[in-house]
Amino acid sequence: MLDTSDFLQADDINKVMGVVDAIANGRHVDYEIEQYIGVDSKGRQGRYYRLAAEKFGLVNLSGTNYSTLTQRGAQFVNLDKEQRKHYIIERLHEMPPFSDALQLIQSSRPNRAELSQWFSGQYPGSEVTAERRFSTFLKYLSLCGYRY
């Protein structure tokens, strides 16, 4: 069963990648990560971006608000921009709900409305929140080469 946290709130992939750089440069708590990646919401956006980096296997949360790099995260720091993008795309193909959506797209080529309907059926939260998450979801699909 999918959790709402499986539907990423972090809509800027460059900032997700920046979380890894933030932690590698000694910014371990959400508000420090947030400052490093250039957002300002008293740590809320920092949590969203940190959670996305966690979902990609790049960081771990230790305690209530202290992030560290995983082994993959430590390797990710040394990748160039194209290698980082390739890593994220590979992980998306493994992560529900993205993996399920990519299979659906490849097998039945849904239009935007059909994909939105499918997404709403997958999202375990409110319909209003599902609509907001869908736009972020599309940004990740775009990274994989799918435009809606």
Side-chain angles (χ1 to χ4, degrees):
M1 174 91 182
L2 292 174
D3 186 76
T4 56
S5 67
D6 293 316
F7 297 80
L8 304 178
Q9 297 179 57
D11 64 354
D12 183 336
I13 192 63
N14 291 314
K15 288 180 177 150
V16 173
M17 292 187 276
V19 169
V20 179
D21 296 324
I23 295 168
N25 284 293
R27 279 46 170 231
H28 296 277
V29 298
D30 293 338
Y31 74 87
E32 294 172 338
I33 292 169
E34 183 177 90
Q35 289 175 336
Y36 188 92
I37 64 174
V39 293
D40 183 18
S41 68
K42 298 184 178 26
R44 183 177 49 85
Q45 291 284 322
R47 280 189 299 281
Y48 296 159
Y49 282 97
R50 186 236 326 128
L51 178 58
E54 280 183 67
K55 293 289 183 181
F56 285 111
L58 299 169
V59 304
N60 283 323
L61 181 63
S62 302
T64 57
N65 184 17
Y66 190 88
S67 298
T68 57
L69 295 178
T70 63
Q71 184 176 0
R72 285 182 176 178
Q75 294 167 345
F76 189 85
V77 169
N78 298 313
L79 300 178
D80 65 32
K81 188 174 182 172
E82 281 304 307
Q83 291 169 318
R84 287 179 171 205
K85 180 180 170 184
H86 183 73
Y87 172 87
I88 296 295
I89 290 169
E90 281 184 358
R91 291 290 296 141
L92 283 170
H93 280 85
E94 300 167 358
M95 295 168 46
F98 300 99
S99 59
D100 299 333
L102 291 167
Q103 287 177 7
L104 174 71
I105 291 167
Q106 291 169 355
S107 67
S108 65
R109 306 275 189 235
N111 63 33
R112 184 184 174 109
E114 292 165 336
L115 186 61
S116 177
Q117 183 177 16
W118 173 87
F119 182 88
S120 293
Q122 302 298 306
Y123 188 75
S126 76
E127 191 170 319
V128 171
T129 305
E131 290 174 16
R132 288 197 317 266
R133 297 292 174 272
F134 184 64
S135 69
T136 299
F137 185 74
L138 291 178
K139 288 182 181 182
Y140 285 96
L141 292 181
S142 175
L143 186 67
C144 294
Y146 298 101
R147 306 281 186 250
Y148 281 92

